[in-house]
Amino acid sequence: MLSEKARQEIRTLCQQYPSHQSGLLAALYVAQQEYGGWLPPEALDEVATLMGLPATYVASAASFYTMFHRKPVGHHRIEVCTNISCSLLGADHLLAYLSRKLGIQVGETTPDGQFTLLEVECLGSCGTAPVIKIDDQYYENLTEEKVDHILDRITTGKGRAS
Amino acid sequence: MTGMQTKVLLRNIGVPNSHEIETYLSRGGYQALQKALREHQPAEVVRIVADSGLRGRGGAGFPTGRKWMFLPKGVYPRYLICNADEGEPGTFKDRVLMEHDPHGVIEGIAIASYACEVHQAFIYLRGEYELSYHRLRDAIVQASERGFLGKNILGTGYDLDVHIVRGAGSYVCGEETALLSSLEGKRGHPKLKPPFPATEGLYRKPTIVNNVETLFNVPFIVEHGAEWYRQWGTERSPGLKLFCVSGHVERPGTYELPMGTPMRTLIDDLCGGPRDGIPLKAIIPGGSSTPMMPAEVALQTNLDYESIFEAGSLLGAGAVIVINEKTCIVRTTHRLAGFYRHESCGKCIPCREGTDWMYKILHRIEHGQGRTEDLDLLLDICDNIAEKSFCPLGDAAVGPVRSSLTHFREEYEFHVSEKRCLVDG
Amino acid sequence: MSDQTVCVIIDGQEVRCPAGCTVYEAATTAGIHIPTFCHHPKLVPVGACRQCLVEVEGMRGLQTACTTPVRDNMVVKVHTSPAAVKARKANIEFLLTNHPLDCPVCDKGGECPLQNQAMQDGPGQSRYVEEKRHKNKRYPLSELIVLDQERCVLCWRCIRFLDEWADDHELDLFGRGADTRIDTFPGRPLRSKWQGNTIDICPVGALTSRIFRFEARVWELTNTASVCPLCGVGCNIVLGVKNQKVRRITPRENMEVNDTWICDKGRFAHGFVDHPDRLKTPLIRRNGKLEPATWEEALDLIAARLNAILQEDGPQAMAALGSNQVTNEANYLLQRFMRVVLGTNNVDHIGRIPTGATPLTSLPGLEHRDVIVLLGCDPSTEAPLVELWIKKAVLRHGARVLVANPHQIELCRYGGPWLGYRPGGEVALLNGLVRAVLDVGAKDQAARAANIEESRSWLKAYTPERVEPLCGTPAAALRQAAEVLVQARRPLFLVGPAWTKGSGEQRAFDALANLTLLLNDAETGFVAGDANAWGALQMGVAPHWYPGQQPCQDPEIRNRLSSFWGTKLSPVPGLDWDGMLPACAQGKLKGMWIIGSDPAHRSQTAGEALKRIPFLVVQDLFMTETATLAQVVLPTASFAETEGTLTNLTGRLQMIRPAKRPPGQARPDWWIITELARRMVESKRQKSWDFASAASVFQEIAKVIPGYRGLSYTTLGEAGWQPAPAQVKARRHLVRVEADPPSADPNYPLELVTGRLLYDRGTLLRRASRIQNLVPSPYVIIHPDTANQFGIAHGDPVWLISSQGQLPFTVLVSDEIVAGTVFVPWNVSDPPVGMLVSEPEGLTRVRLAKQE
Ligand SMILES: Cc1cc2nc3c(=O)[nH]c(=O)nc-3n(C[C@H](O)[C@H](O)[C@H](O)COP(=O)(O)O)c2cc1C
Ligand code: SF4
Ligand code: FES
């Protein structure tokens, strides 16, 4: 169940727009946050009810966008850009390195539920390639050593690396 | 490194706290807005922008003033959307502006909205751009507190609200009609054109969609005039342009140059030339969808719409991707084909099926299972997608495949006959 | 589209077409075929699939014919443009790359646009050597439909149909790009009663019927044009038969009735036709048991027994019930038999259309009504196609739907307001509306009534606040409804059978006429829920009416028909159903013939009464409860096995046609009645019964009923015949109708409301497999106040108790019902809720008790 605070936030969001339906993506973000990073069917259903939209419609719309997850994700999402500019500068090696280091394949979550490893399209940081995004944060001009350092900081709870 | 750059658009980048309104004001910010509101009728602003010859920086290069003039007379409300979806691989210039000079973006939106008689504007922002979101949101709050947004702006009676809508991971939503769908809370499917957004857009009302950089230019033009702006660039591609360079150069990044500057100036002088001195093979001049050029051809051209078009490609959004000799073209194209397959919305058959098919063939070739006939088949598939698909994403997907096959066919042939890569063996 | 026409040149051919139409439409009128997938003539064009690309001179690139409007002098190239031809070929190739090509096992095979186009324009040989995409196959979307996501070409016609027509957004696209799929919300089946239509409009075999699955290849079917017998709309259908079994039902376009759609009941519930339970031979009661007999034996026995009763007790000791579900021909012959052979007017049918009702004038006309008022009428369950037309009015033109019903119905979703009322409160409710309309309306409203001044005094008692306690309808809702009504330009009042039960026919219609008289251009139409309700009335299976609703009491008419039928007709008034019941009970009726109805199932009283009849003949499809009481049971042909006509709720005459033979010895009704009559008239020298077919019966009907002159099966054709709307004399005067005080009985404090569900366990549907899985288990809906009063909670098992008996139900507590009433769906429980009802049918009062 969405908290009352989240429900209120969604209502307020929707009122901003000339048509309340424009608030759908924003509402889904709120719901995803509340449900621990993904959108189970209950979450979609609740958003639908709250916004007066058919549940099927909401589920369909959510499924169009890659930032809405339909499967549970780990505590931290590691998104590795492997698009052209990053791969020109070694993103594929970086991804393989991360996969080895975490012991999981792309799309999987570590057994302790800490990390989900994802491959994503261009993050818009091609000038500082290769790049990864962990949760809300970009990490740029990466090397394997930098990645080690960043993950250490995160696992030891010291937040962002640089 | 920056000596040769003209620093107009990027004048605030690198200044401490450039995103704060105090910094912006201290450097002459919001003067243009005051001037527009106090000294000009909306139509005059439109005229000035039209005279400047500013062309859309989102990729298609459509003259901005002309677009504004398409708004049907007397139909209200109208909306303005700042297209901040920046999803084309290779582009990151809008992000630089939004993170480091958000007030410049807001001022551009405010003036354009005034010119178009809009009272509600939207920024459709890429979902991934977290920092941009925070900076823009704070900038809107600050600007509203100072009376640059909201009710009765600067006491002139003009009202404007700006909302940020965040995308959620879909490249096609940068296409203006798909953007409208997304902003209306739907799947990001492009819409039929006509009607064009300027006549029937958001909520079926007249709507102007402009790129971040396009709008960012507007305050400068209004403040200094069309003639001032035309001191840079060429007759048909006037003004200044941001170029974002990535790939195999010593100093990738965002650079500001007058239109028409030689490509060589950008690559060699500003970016420090090829990375590690390894000779270049190919340059994609305008973002991943623009046709790849052999490096020696690209380095002979100038950076304006016409020159690059004549040389066989497109200036696009000015995202220059530099590729050196040690890179496999087949592999690079395969990666881009994967991108377009992933981003096809699925609405029309040619794009949905064509991008999937191209990707699968390239995948086979890349993995040593190519057949000779695959190369002509790929070209034929390109033909069958190009200009047949519902929206230009199909054409975009064709760009890298067709151009790489045209210019680097021998690499493909090597892959097919030798079952391995010409470059990395 | 405007009236202007323009000229376009398509492939060198000059085509005149209306300005504003699309290139596709223009080409179609000229007979030039442009292939399409996403386009469907009944859906808004989306231009998505790109199959219809054509070249238009002066326009860059290729254009989609389905979305490009024509301009005068436009030059279009469809088959003469190499670029367009190549693009369309390529598109087919694209589609086939990932299509499973499992045509040999696909139900669509033989009527598949993709197959046809692949034949016509396909590349012949595939250049695709990659692995095909895998998605869900044989994936049930509901009890009724299965989806094959690999066959789907993603035209989203199905989604658009459910959106644009049914307004049931239950299907949508999921994922994107090459991974896009059609699906429902995770774990939620399709519920729309219109889902079957998506099978028809799917251009490939992605959506198929779970009932038709693997029954036949379509080319093995013999197709017969007919009419659906399951409600009063009479949707035009096609019966597909293979090996003497109905395999599927599909719609047939008729713009005056069902457009191109049918509801899922009509489509999927045909299982009863070929059910093993069908009666296959006549049965005669011997030693207390019904045993098989030949037609000779059965008919001889009936003739002998009827003759004996005639001799001993006279014609008035016999009665018959026709049916609003059997053909006009059967009903006509039945009353002719009773009146001509036996000499009695004791003939009626159950569920007769109330006196004063008029048929709806047009179904498509519903689209252009701006306010639709439903009075005790639930089109969604009683006449589904009416719902579809109402939705069209709402979705395309913003019509309002006001609902006066004791409980909320599906059409309340459009905001109503819902005027909940207690049965018996109809007059109070209408008087309240009249009063509120006068209050909120300007002088316009009042000026329409000639006697407005004197009427104001009696209407004083009906302010919304005073009406509320009389009928239970909130005053605010009444006011809101009145606001809508005074602004209505063309309101339509749809009256259902439930509306006249509580207050009586005359008063209910008088009160309604008061209201409509005040409004602008208002019309009232009765929504008959049964397939031949108007027909039964029109054919004269009513004690006071000869065919054509000609009064039996008129001597001139009686003489005319006497000479036509060649016998002297009885002037003795006949018994109606309500009169037959006590006559049975008192032993006055010795013989009775019941065709196509099951009164014993409807009420306890009826069952008890029928047991007292010494000689009961029942003619039906199945061994109904009434049939178990009979001395002789006659097996009859179903709608799929006989020829005849049905009269729908707009009075339209439409033909049903035999698509297969009846099972065993079952025979059409007209044959049975004719054979019996022949046996009885030989001795009596009456004009002969020489009907050789249903058509010859209809020939006589066309002579007897004044408005039907000149009609024949040939003139009815495939589309049927629509009579001119009856001229209703416009009233100018308000008639004083006073409301009853609410009835009360401390032992039975609640009012029982029953109503149909779309899917129930009635005689026919009980024999439709799969449909049965959609019928809910028996429930009673009660108001939260009632729940408190009886100390009952949601989900509790309870007894529902009336003076007639008690039945178990599960309680649903809901504020979607007016306080003081309970709702039980008809034909869901076993024994039936009729157990609680007494006849003559009025209101039934009940109480609740928790089951221990
Ligand atoms: C597939 C596709 C993606 C696009 N993405 C973007 C984008 O991310 N940002 C942008 O400004 N324009 C993008 N465009 C171009 C827009 O459709 C539109 O032309 C532009 O926003 C107009 O602004 P301008 O005239 O200021 O350039 C895209 C177009 C296509 C076909
Ligand atoms: S299921 Fe059929 S109707 Fe629906 S999108 Fe697929 S092909 Fe079209
Ligand atoms: S039929 Fe025209 S695009 Fe599909």
Side-chain angles (χ1 to χ4, degrees):
Chain A
M1 269 278 278
L2 292 176
S3 65
E4 189 44 45
K5 184 169 155 281
R7 304 168 80 81
Q8 197 45 50
E9 194 179 342
I10 291 175
R11 282 186 211 110
T12 317
L13 274 169
C14 292
Q15 278 160 12
Q16 281 184 15
Y17 306 106
S19 151
H20 79 293
Q21 198 177 320
S22 286
L24 181 58
L25 298 192
L28 289 170
Y29 274 122
V30 173
Q32 176 156 285
Q33 178 89 32
E34 287 257 315
Y35 274 88
W38 72 296
L39 288 169
E42 308 89 273
L44 298 168
D45 209 15
E46 278 184 80
V47 170
T49 313
L50 212 53
M51 294 185 65
L53 295 169
T56 315
Y57 174 91
V58 170
S60 159
S63 76
F64 188 86
Y65 299 95
T66 54
M67 289 176 71
F68 298 128
H69 299 279
R70 270 151 295 138
K71 281 195 313 203
V73 291
H75 199 58
H76 301 287
R77 277 168 290 114
I78 305 180
E79 301 178 355
V80 184
C81 169
T82 56
N83 210 302
I84 179 161
S85 306
C86 284
S87 72
L88 288 176
L89 296 178
D92 298 327
H93 301 291
L94 200 64
L95 180 65
Y97 178 72
L98 271 162
S99 171
R100 271 200 316 276
K101 184 175 163 76
L102 297 169
I104 50 173
Q105 299 296 309
V106 172
E108 292 179 349
T109 301
T110 51
D112 61 359
Q114 276 300 303
F115 296 104
T116 300
L117 182 61
L118 299 165
E119 188 179 351
V120 295
E121 298 300 356
C122 177
L123 284 168
S125 202
C126 320
T128 44
V131 217
I132 66 177
K133 187 175 174 228
I134 303 181
D135 304 332
D136 296 341
Q137 196 71 51
Y138 277 55
Y139 300 90
E140 300 164 300
N141 294 315
L142 289 181
T143 57
E144 292 181 5
E145 298 72 58
K146 278 198 193 168
V147 165
D148 285 343
H149 185 58
I150 292 162
L151 292 191
D152 284 350
R153 305 273 309 216
I154 289 174
T155 33
T156 55
K158 299 211 182 76
R160 61 172 305 203
S162 49
Chain B
M1 140 185 162
T2 54
M4 274 153 282
Q5 268 198 88
T6 320
K7 279 252 184 178
V8 176
L9 302 174
L10 296 182
R11 72 203 164 102
N12 292 336
I13 312 294
V15 173
N17 288 325
S18 60
H19 59 280
E20 297 290 349
I21 195 163
E22 283 78 16
T23 320
Y24 188 66
L25 287 171
S26 73
R27 297 176 61 83
Y30 289 116
Q31 292 297 324
L33 177 63
Q34 308 222 20
K35 182 168 176 189
L37 294 183
R38 298 229 160 91
E39 296 173 20
H40 297 296
Q41 290 302 309
E44 289 166 16
V45 182
V46 176
R47 168 65 36 210
I48 294 168
V49 171
D51 289 346
S52 77
L54 173 66
R55 292 171 65 172
R57 302 300 195 227
F62 193 85
T64 306
R66 267 235 319 273
K67 187 189 277 188
W68 295 0
M69 288 176 186
F70 284 148
L71 286 167
K73 298 255 168 317
V75 186
Y76 303 95
R78 297 163 168 185
Y79 299 109
L80 181 124
I81 299 170
C82 168
N83 187 345
D85 198 44
E86 197 167 68
E88 172 109 342
T91 52
F92 49 95
K93 62 188 177 67
D94 296 344
R95 176 171 158 235
V96 171
L97 297 178
M98 293 186 288
E99 287 183 358
H100 298 290
D101 203 353
H103 284 284
V105 179
I106 302 293
E107 187 173 7
I109 291 173
I111 298 173
S113 297
Y114 173 71
C116 296
E117 298 175 75
V118 161
H119 298 288
Q120 264 177 319
F122 299 85
I123 301 171
Y124 186 88
L125 178 67
R126 247 198 107 148
E128 290 88 343
Y129 281 4
E130 203 75 33
L131 184 57
S132 297
Y133 174 62
H134 291 290
R135 293 266 160 96
L136 285 169
R137 200 186 51 186
D138 294 347
I140 291 172
V141 172
Q142 291 176 343
S144 305
E145 285 166 0
R146 306 287 177 111
F148 299 121
L149 290 179
K151 287 254 166 297
N152 191 17
I153 296 173
L154 300 171
T156 59
Y158 175 64
D159 305 335
L160 176 68
D161 285 325
V162 180
H163 307 286
I164 306 173
V165 176
R166 302 177 68 190
S170 164
Y171 162 67
V172 73
C173 289
E175 193 281 329
E176 54 186 5
T177 60
L179 186 157
L180 296 176
S181 298
S182 184
L183 221 167
E184 287 168 354
K186 303 175 182 161
R187 292 169 64 84
H189 282 181
K191 302 183 180 196
L192 276 176
K193 284 199 263 192
F196 289 90
T199 36
E200 203 180 302
L202 190 63
Y203 315 124
R204 312 193 59 178
K205 297 290 179 224
T207 302
I208 292 296
V209 183
N210 274 133
N211 171 255
V212 173
E213 184 191 340
T214 312
L215 294 169
F216 198 86
N217 272 283
V218 170
F220 297 95
I221 296 170
V222 168
E223 196 171 350
H224 304 290
E227 275 317 305
W228 171 85
Y229 191 71
R230 280 183 174 278
Q231 69 178 287
W232 295 286
T234 66
E235 175 57 27
R236 292 172 63 196
S237 300
L240 298 160
K241 169 90 190 85
L242 299 183
F243 293 95
C244 18
V245 187
S246 63
H248 295 139
V249 290
E250 283 294 338
R251 289 189 297 272
T254 310
Y255 297 93
E256 178 178 5
L257 287 173
M259 286 279 197
T261 306
M263 174 79 90
R264 209 176 269 290
T265 310
L266 177 66
I267 302 293
D268 288 344
D269 302 345
L270 295 177
C271 296
R275 194 182 178 95
D276 302 330
I278 302 169
L280 301 184
K281 182 194 280 181
I283 290 179
I284 302 179
S288 68
S289 66
T290 59
M292 213 176 264
M293 305 165 84
E296 62 280 10
V297 178
L299 287 168
Q300 299 302 317
T301 62
N302 293 340
L303 292 163
D304 60 85
Y305 294 107
E306 288 70 30
S307 305
I308 297 208
F309 184 76
E310 276 158 32
S313 188
L314 297 162
L315 183 66
V320 182
I321 305 169
V322 182
I323 300 170
N324 70 17
E325 257 183 21
K326 293 204 164 161
T327 312
C328 171
I329 289 295
V330 177
R331 172 131 163 240
T332 306
T333 310
H334 169 238
R335 180 64 190 87
L336 287 178
F339 170 74
Y340 288 104
R341 179 200 181 278
H342 184 248
E343 299 301 334
S344 167
C345 83
K347 180 170 180 166
C348 74
I349 295 171
C351 169
R352 179 180 75 227
E353 302 298 334
T355 54
D356 187 44
W357 194 2
M358 291 199 303
Y359 173 74
K360 284 172 174 166
I361 295 175
L362 284 162
H363 190 79
R364 238 184 336 98
I365 300 177
E366 166 70 9
H367 290 85
Q369 289 155 2
R371 307 167 307 162
T372 319
E373 61 265 41
D374 284 336
L375 309 189
D376 287 336
L377 176 57
L378 276 173
L379 284 173
D380 194 43
I381 296 174
C382 285
D383 269 353
N384 292 338
I385 301 174
E387 291 179 41
K388 318 291 185 301
S389 55
F390 189 96
C391 85
L393 189 133
D395 306 271
V398 163
V401 179
R402 197 190 250 164
S403 59
S404 64
L405 268 163
T406 309
H407 300 301
F408 304 99
R409 194 171 172 118
E410 66 287 354
E411 280 198 43
Y412 283 90
E413 284 167 348
F414 189 88
H415 265 262
V416 168
S417 60
E418 305 301 317
K419 316 276 179 226
R420 63 190 169 85
C421 180
L422 181 64
V423 182
D424 16 83
Chain C
M1 257 180 246
S2 73
D3 304 334
Q4 268 182 330
T5 63
V6 296
C7 183
V8 290
I9 294 156
I10 306 180
D11 282 348
Q13 188 178 332
E14 252 187 49
V15 181
R16 296 220 133 262
C17 59
C21 81
T22 62
V23 169
Y24 174 83
E25 288 162 337
T28 307
T29 48
I32 297 168
H33 174 67
I34 302 179
T36 59
F37 284 115
C38 65
H39 178 74
H40 187 279
K42 307 283 177 181
L43 302 175
V44 177
V46 287
C49 76
R50 323 302 285 173
Q51 190 57 37
C52 65
L53 288 175
V54 296
E55 193 177 316
V56 176
E57 248 174 44
M59 291 174 88
R60 230 186 98 237
L62 300 171
Q63 313 299 320
T64 43
C66 69
T67 62
T68 307
V70 293
R71 272 179 293 98
D72 207 11
N73 298 322
M74 193 183 234
V75 178
V76 180
K77 292 182 185 160
V78 182
H79 302 290
T80 51
S81 154
V85 169
K86 176 168 193 276
R88 291 197 303 264
K89 240 187 178 40
N91 219 35
I92 293 279
E93 181 181 36
F94 279 142
L95 261 193
L96 294 180
T97 54
N98 282 291
H99 192 82
L101 301 174
D102 54 354
C103 309
V105 292
C106 177
D107 272 346
K108 199 77 171 188
E111 51 184 16
C112 173
L114 177 61
Q115 214 175 35
N116 298 344
Q117 284 177 39
M119 274 285 283
Q120 223 168 61
D121 301 321
Q125 205 180 341
S126 177
R127 299 188 288 176
Y128 187 79
V129 297
E130 325 301 328
E131 166 96 3
K132 294 205 186 234
R133 280 196 304 265
H134 293 293
K135 296 181 183 171
N136 284 326
K137 290 183 80 71
R138 292 174 290 279
Y139 172 59
L141 288 182
S142 70
E143 242 348 271
L144 306 170
I145 289 189
V146 56
L147 168 67
D148 185 322
Q149 291 177 336
E150 292 185 351
R151 290 183 192 152
C152 172
V153 295
L154 296 166
C155 64
W156 29 299
R157 285 183 184 184
C158 49
I159 300 171
R160 285 146 63 210
F161 164 76
L162 286 173
D163 266 7
E164 292 173 25
W165 288 84
D167 201 13
D168 292 329
H169 195 107
E170 296 174 354
L171 260 190
D172 212 327
L173 300 167
F174 284 77
R176 73 180 186 212
D179 305 316
T180 313
R181 302 155 321 271
I182 299 286
D183 210 338
T184 60
F185 188 85
R188 227 172 258 181
L190 281 181
R191 275 189 298 234
S192 175
K193 60 175 104 42
W194 304 108
Q195 55 182 281
N197 295 295
T198 62
I199 299 171
D200 301 336
I201 60 174
C202 176
V204 294
L207 292 164
T208 51
S209 156
R210 293 180 74 183
I211 287 160
F212 180 55
R213 217 168 149 72
F214 308 130
E215 286 280 308
R217 306 307 321 248
V218 293
W219 53 84
E220 299 173 316
L221 298 174
T222 9
N223 291 317
T224 307
S226 192
V227 168
C228 175
L230 296 179
C231 87
V233 175
C235 288
N236 290 209
I237 56 173
V238 174
L239 297 173
V241 168
K242 175 187 159 191
N243 294 344
Q244 295 301 312
K245 188 171 166 207
V246 178
R247 309 286 168 155
R248 75 166 182 187
I249 288 180
T250 44
R252 191 156 59 82
E253 180 171 289
N254 187 334
M255 292 312 294
E256 292 302 311
V257 183
N258 54 308
D259 200 316
T260 10
W261 321 113
I262 52 173
C263 79
D264 290 347
K265 180 155 85 174
R267 180 187 301 267
F268 294 117
H270 53 76
F272 68 89
V273 172
D274 301 297
H275 198 275
D277 287 355
R278 280 285 299 275
L279 295 170
K280 293 183 195 71
T281 149
L283 304 168
I284 292 177
R285 192 171 294 276
R286 294 188 179 112
N287 304 321
K289 264 182 64 189
L290 284 168
E291 290 178 353
T294 64
W295 279 106
E296 292 294 309
E297 290 168 330
L299 293 170
D300 286 349
L301 174 70
I302 300 170
R305 291 293 304 267
L306 293 182
N307 273 326
I309 298 170
L310 260 184
Q311 303 257 297
E312 284 168 34
D313 304 278
Q316 305 313 329
M318 285 174 292
L321 283 183
S323 165
N324 50 21
Q325 306 205 51
V326 306
T327 60
N328 286 323
E329 289 72 5
N331 278 314
Y332 174 81
L333 287 184
L334 179 67
Q335 63 82 37
R336 189 189 201 266
F337 178 87
M338 296 305 286
R339 289 188 164 117
V340 174
V341 179
L342 301 185
T344 176
N345 283 315
N346 290 346
V347 53
D348 200 3
H349 61 283
I350 294 175
R352 185 171 3 109
I353 286 176
T355 313
T358 47
L360 186 63
T361 52
S362 153
L363 281 162
L366 274 169
E367 183 185 345
H368 302 291
R369 296 290 178 167
D370 60 336
V371 175
I372 296 163
V373 190
L374 302 171
L375 302 173
C377 166
D378 181 1
S380 309
T381 59
E382 294 163 358
L385 238 295
V386 172
E387 180 208 79
L388 209 61
W389 285 111
I390 292 176
K391 284 179 173 169
K392 199 170 180 193
V394 173
L395 299 175
R396 312 210 177 173
H397 312 288
R400 297 284 302 260
V401 183
L402 309 185
V403 179
N405 209 65
H407 63 105
Q408 289 197 18
I409 59 172
E410 193 190 323
L411 283 169
C412 287
R413 68 197 268 195
Y414 296 116
W418 168 53
L419 306 167
Y421 69 89
R422 281 193 300 273
E426 296 84 0
V427 170
L429 170 62
L430 285 174
N431 286 354
L433 278 176
V434 166
R435 171 66 206 247
V437 160
L438 288 172
D439 287 351
V440 299
K443 288 198 197 70
D444 303 20
Q445 264 69 36
R448 292 200 165 93
N451 59 341
I452 186 66
E453 288 318 320
E454 69 241 47
S455 304
R456 284 193 199 276
S457 62
W458 70 268
L459 282 168
K460 269 205 194 96
Y462 297 101
T463 60
E465 281 70 20
R466 292 219 214 159
V467 159
E468 183 165 342
L470 292 178
C471 59
T473 316
L478 278 173
R479 280 223 175 74
Q480 221 187 323
E483 299 273 1
V484 175
L485 286 172
V486 292
Q487 310 221 336
R489 280 175 297 101
R490 301 189 63 211
L492 174 67
F493 291 77
L494 295 180
V495 180
W499 183 250
T500 52
K501 271 192 201 157
S503 305
E505 302 176 357
Q506 186 68 42
R507 296 170 64 241
F509 281 114
D510 278 344
L512 177 54
N514 284 345
L515 178 59
T516 54
L517 140 69
L518 298 179
L519 305 176
N520 197 27
D521 204 1
E523 187 190 314
T524 300
F526 186 80
V527 178
D530 293 296
N532 204 25
W534 282 108
L537 192 64
Q538 193 73 348
M539 292 305 123
V541 277
H544 49 299
W545 266 331
Y546 293 132
Q549 293 190 56
Q550 308 182 77
C552 300
Q553 292 318 312
D554 185 328
E556 197 186 313
I557 291 170
R558 193 185 315 130
N559 288 339
R560 206 171 61 223
L561 279 171
S562 291
S563 63
F564 183 82
W565 281 328
T567 189
K568 199 155 166 43
L569 291 171
S570 165
V572 181
L575 293 173
D576 63 6
W577 169 238
D578 290 350
M580 289 178 198
L581 281 170
C584 291
Q586 293 154 16
K588 287 187 191 154
L589 285 181
K590 306 291 188 206
M592 189 153 176
W593 188 0
I594 299 180
I595 297 185
S597 72
D598 189 8
H601 178 83
R602 289 174 41 93
S603 76
Q604 182 100 322
T605 338
E608 293 302 323
L610 293 175
K611 281 186 194 151
R612 320 269 315 242
I613 303 227
F615 187 64
L616 178 65
V617 178
V618 172
Q619 184 166 320
D620 215 315
L621 300 175
F622 294 100
M623 190 49 111
T624 60
E625 268 176 65
T626 309
T628 60
L629 308 175
Q631 269 62 50
V632 182
V633 178
L634 303 174
T636 132
S638 76
F639 84 103
E641 298 144 358
T642 186
E643 197 167 37
T645 56
L646 297 171
T647 307
N648 86 348
L649 49 71
T650 62
R652 187 181 191 82
L653 275 174
Q654 307 193 101
M655 279 198 68
I656 56 170
R657 292 187 180 80
K660 58 175 285 265
R661 288 190 302 275
Q665 302 301 311
R667 289 285 177 273
D669 294 306
W670 70 265
W671 180 91
I672 302 171
I673 305 169
T674 304
E675 285 298 313
L676 183 62
R678 278 190 186 145
R679 278 174 168 71
M680 295 193 61
V681 294
E682 271 165 25
S683 51
K684 294 172 95 203
R685 280 177 322 185
Q686 285 171 348
K687 198 170 173 182
S688 70
W689 285 68
D690 51 4
F691 302 109
S693 62
S696 58
V697 180
F698 188 76
Q699 265 171 20
E700 180 171 310
I701 295 173
K703 285 185 195 137
V704 173
I705 297 183
Y708 287 3
R709 214 140 284 157
L711 292 181
S712 70
Y713 280 1
T714 326
T715 52
L716 293 187
E718 302 252 303
W721 173 81
Q722 182 74 50
Q727 291 299 319
V728 189
K729 222 169 64 225
R731 279 215 329 229
R732 294 277 294 128
H733 292 264
L734 291 169
V735 176
R736 180 169 182 170
V737 199
E738 298 285 1
D740 292 328
S743 66
D745 181 341
N747 285 329
Y748 301 105
L750 302 167
E751 213 105 45
L752 172 66
V753 177
T754 59
R756 258 191 226 200
L757 298 184
L758 186 67
Y759 305 128
D760 61 19
R761 298 196 202 287
T763 315
L764 303 185
L765 263 60
R766 199 187 318 161
R767 275 114 182 163
S769 64
R770 289 210 180 274
I771 289 280
Q772 280 307 291
N773 301 338
L774 298 168
V775 182
S777 31
Y779 62 83
V780 55
I781 302 180
I782 68 173
H783 190 269
D785 292 354
T786 312
N788 284 338
Q789 188 186 342
F790 287 87
I792 285 168
H794 194 77
D796 278 355
V798 294
W799 292 108
L800 193 59
I801 307 165
S802 80
S803 58
Q804 304 290 306
Q806 61 177 48
L807 284 178
F809 289 99
T810 303
V811 158
L812 306 183
V813 178
S814 161
D815 58 4
E816 296 183 353
I817 186 166
V818 73
T821 65
V822 303
F823 173 82
V824 174
W826 198 248
N827 275 342
V828 167
S829 58
D830 191 15
V833 67
M835 276 265 307
L836 304 180
V837 177
S838 63
E839 284 193 82
E841 223 192 322
L843 302 177
T844 304
R845 303 193 61 89
V846 292
R847 68 166 183 269
L848 289 165
K850 212 163 166 168
Q851 286 179 35
E852 295 310 332

